[in-house]
Amino acid sequence: MDQPLTPVVSDRRITFGIIAGEASGDILGAGLIRSLRNRYPNARFVGIGGDEMIAEGFHSLVPMERLSIMGLVEVLGRIRELFSIRARLLSYFFATPPDVVIGIDSPDFTLAIERRCREAGIPSVHYVSPSVWAWRQKRIFKIAKSVDLMLTLLPFEARFYEEHKVPVAFVGHPLADRIPIVPETGRARQELGLDENVPLLAVLPGSRAGEVERLGTLFLEAARWIQSKRPDVQLIIPCVNREREQQVRDLIEALEVKLQVTIVRGRSREVMAASDVVLLASGTATLEAMLLKKPMVVGYRLSNFSYALVSRLVKVPHVSLPNLLARKPLVRELLQDDATPESLGAAVLECMENQEERERLVEAFTELHHTLRQDADEKAAQAISRLVEERVH
């Protein structure tokens, strides 16, 4: 058996209370448990988590699926159950206090629990910052009352908390640890059965029905405009599930002019890795495309009312994570009225044909990748361990 790289901090039976509400949090939680167990071999892990955490010896008091709810209507329909789960969890933590409570993402659910625990004298940690730095910034005061420590995935998030005197540790992003520094484009194309020598455009209009409805036709018309200028460009669209795949096929069928496109279910990372350029909605996918060193064009549209409202609330100069990380406009962002088939298509062709710009982007993206590649599991465990040891002593 391999020896852990991290020295044992203590053989005490430390109890870690952890709450993860969705699949991404479950993956983060599993990595955190592994790193914490290296430090505390006799530790106990209890709270709410999914299969990944349970496989690491975690005891989940409630199936994590009961928290994995998306959409306002769905939340309202389950509000009584959510309050019941929160009450049950708090009752358990108050009766058998853990040495620390760690909420992983899902801030609407976890922060309230962290605050109650902290008020009861149980140290609390929140892992993955809400987008408080971007909008509704007054939430920082509620967060400051809820946590003894914030763990952020991105460096500019940590700077925001430091400015507001909230204890924080930047731990890096797990995706940066998992994705290789040098992308394996040829291998990805082989695995997807794609020609290695043709220009390939990946189109990602989003993973949710509303996003695909809002952006799908726009992105498809941009792709058609591109193929009218460059018939040799191949198109590929990854769809997160069967429902999104059918939605995309329906949108393609509704186009007046036939569009040549390959549709893949899942495998979005492979699709981006295989591509030359990515046309995508703003969101976490922009970070993934950056880590894969892919030139990209970011497009987004909201209803006019929503856009007017969001424009007043958002306090950041960019919407895509590469630009936020670089603190300057590395990639094209075409939003609202600026996002037309012609403008998006022209920006994509510029990315595809400007070799000097492509090389500059790869260099910038590689530098940002190194910044985020911090061994997040270990950094997070180290920061939590430091908090636990300070409280014990």
Side-chain angles (χ1 to χ4, degrees), residues 1-10 16 18 23-46 50-59 102 104 127 174-175 177-178 375-382 384-385:
M1 184 185 215
D2 293 339
Q3 293 297 313
L5 298 176
T6 308
V8 172
V9 172
S10 173
F16 295 94
I18 306 178
S24 58
D26 186 34
I27 294 168
L28 278 178
L32 179 61
I33 289 170
R34 284 192 293 271
S35 291
L36 284 171
R37 198 182 293 286
N38 285 339
R39 290 172 163 78
Y40 301 95
N42 297 316
R44 179 170 171 263
F45 301 89
V46 62
D51 292 343
E52 298 280 344
M53 292 167 65
I54 291 169
E56 298 297 331
F58 181 81
H59 176 53
I102 305 158
I104 303 179
Y127 190 5
L175 275 179
D177 297 327
R178 297 189 189 105
D375 195 348
D377 294 340
E378 278 296 306
K379 280 283 187 70
Q382 183 182 56
I384 293 167
S385 174

Side-chain angles (χ1 to χ4, degrees), residues 250-326:
D250 290 343
L251 292 175
I252 292 171
E253 187 69 25
L255 293 174
E256 293 179 3
V257 179
K258 189 172 176 61
L259 185 67
Q260 296 296 325
V261 58
T262 299
I263 297 178
V264 178
R265 191 179 302 166
R267 305 177 76 177
S268 63
R269 187 177 303 171
E270 283 179 86
V271 167
M272 285 194 281
S275 70
D276 292 298
V277 180
V278 183
L279 171 61
L280 73 173
S282 64
T284 306
T286 63
L287 176 69
E288 207 162 353
M290 182 200 83
L291 294 171
L292 292 164
K293 316 303 178 304
K294 299 302 174 181
M296 71 190 84
V297 175
V298 178
Y300 211 77
R301 275 185 184 172
L302 295 168
S303 70
N304 289 333
F305 175 78
S306 296
Y307 185 75
L309 182 63
V310 168
S311 297
R312 291 190 183 95
L313 294 175
V314 171
K315 306 296 183 183
V316 290
H318 310 291
V319 299
S320 65
L321 285 168
N323 290 347
L324 288 167
L325 286 163

Side-chain angles (χ1 to χ4, degrees), residues 188 191-192 194 202-207 236-246 248-249 262-274 288 292:
E191 290 178 352
L192 290 165
L194 300 169
V203 179
L204 286 81
S207 59
I236 184 166
I237 302 177
C239 298
V240 69
N241 54 33
R242 180 181 282 104
E243 289 76 17
R244 295 294 77 71
E245 179 181 345
Q246 187 58 54
V248 168
R249 290 189 184 279
T262 299
I263 297 178
V264 178
R265 191 179 302 166
R267 305 177 76 177
S268 63
R269 187 177 303 171
E270 283 179 86
V271 167
M272 285 194 281
E288 207 162 353
L292 292 164

